């Protein structure tokens, strides 16, 4: 089996001044004997011991663009999981990949939106995302859905919901490939 650490990040620092942070921290495990691929996502705000220091912090603080070693060491130190490969994907590369497969379809039982990311799925059914809109979907942490009474309700799962949507979207993207 082989483990690949996949980092999704934005070139922009969160506060405009500091280092860029990873928006997605995911391990993919490929097991050729079992013919399986498994995914394990780490919430970006997960509080852990940061490798090479005596402090605790959010796991995405261990990420340094183009230098994954501190994050790799942090994951190993906290969870005992080794990393064999590393993939770094910025927002532009993600959008380009989605567009290269002519979009990725996702089913919805109700309209959804997130004003923070620009996500807008106006009606229930199968919705095909293009690059820009796909990025808004997988980044959404404040997703809202339209309930049966016509009221917008907040998805209570926040970052865990985002992780679930990211994993599902990745599976659908790989299937398109």
């Amino acid at each position: 089996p082989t483990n690949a650490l996949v980092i999704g990040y934005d070139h922009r620092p969160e506060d405009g001044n500091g280092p860029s942070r990873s928006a997605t921290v995911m391990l993919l495990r490929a097991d050729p004997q079992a013919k399986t691929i498994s995914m394990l996502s780490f919430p970006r705000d997960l509080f852990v011991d940061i490798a090479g220091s005596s402090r605790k912090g959010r796991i995405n603080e261990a990420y340094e663009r183009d230098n994954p070693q501190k994050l790799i060491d942090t994951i190993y130190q906290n969870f005992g999981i080794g990393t064999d490969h590393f993939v770094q994907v910025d927002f532009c590369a993600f959008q380009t990949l989605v567009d290269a497969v002519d979009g990725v379809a996702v089913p919805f039982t109700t309209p959804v939106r997130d004003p923070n990311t620009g996500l807008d799925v106006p009606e229930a059914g199968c919705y095909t995302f293009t690059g820009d809109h796909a990025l808004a979907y997988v980044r959404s942490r404040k997703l809202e859905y339209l309930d049966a009474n016509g009221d917008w309700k907040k998805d209570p799962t926040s970052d865990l919901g985002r992780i679930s949507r990211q994993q599902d979207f990745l599976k659908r993207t790989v299937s398109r490939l």
Side-chain angles (χ1 to χ4, degrees):
T2 300
N3 294 332
L5 178 61
V6 178
I7 298 300
Y9 77 99
D10 187 356
H11 287 289
R12 301 167 298 169
E14 288 181 3
D15 64 2
N17 297 316
S20 294
R21 297 276 188 234
S22 58
T24 300
V25 179
M26 183 184 295
L27 273 171
L28 298 179
R29 181 177 181 82
D31 186 338
Q33 280 190 314
K35 297 182 181 176
T36 60
I37 296 178
S38 305
M39 290 183 263
L40 173 65
S41 295
F42 297 91
R44 69 184 202 149
D45 295 335
L46 184 65
F47 214 65
V48 295
D49 293 319
I50 304 295
S53 75
S54 59
R55 67 180 190 82
K56 291 182 177 281
R58 295 178 355 181
I59 195 166
N60 72 341
E61 293 175 32
Y63 168 74
E64 295 174 4
R65 185 173 165 201
D66 299 325
N67 182 10
Q69 198 58 54
K70 185 191 290 187
L71 181 56
I72 289 169
D73 293 344
T74 296
I75 290 171
Y76 186 78
Q77 176 180 313
N78 286 272
F79 305 103
I81 303 170
T83 299
D84 303 302
H85 304 283
F86 172 71
V87 178
Q88 179 176 273
V89 180
D90 66 14
F91 289 175
C92 183
F94 174 82
Q95 292 166 305
T96 300
L97 173 63
V98 173
D99 288 338
V101 297
D102 294 324
V104 176
V106 177
F108 291 91
T109 58
T110 178
V112 297
R113 69 182 186 187
D114 183 340
N116 294 317
T117 65
L119 173 65
D120 181 26
V121 177
E123 57 189 45
C126 193
Y127 186 89
T128 300
F129 287 100
T130 58
D132 290 342
H133 208 198
L135 185 60
Y137 176 64
V138 299
R139 292 190 68 213
S140 177
R141 293 190 332 155
K142 297 184 181 192
L143 186 106
E144 298 175 347
Y145 62 92
L146 195 62
D147 73 6
N149 297 322
D151 297 320
W152 287 101
K153 301 289 184 180
K154 291 186 179 189
D155 175 8
T157 62
S158 185
D159 201 35
L160 297 178
R162 181 179 70 99
I163 286 170
S164 178
R165 288 187 294 277
Q166 287 174 345
Q167 289 184 355
D168 178 68
F169 195 86
L170 181 59
K171 290 175 192 174
R172 292 174 187 282
T173 304
V174 168
S175 177
R176 292 281 297 159
L177 290 171

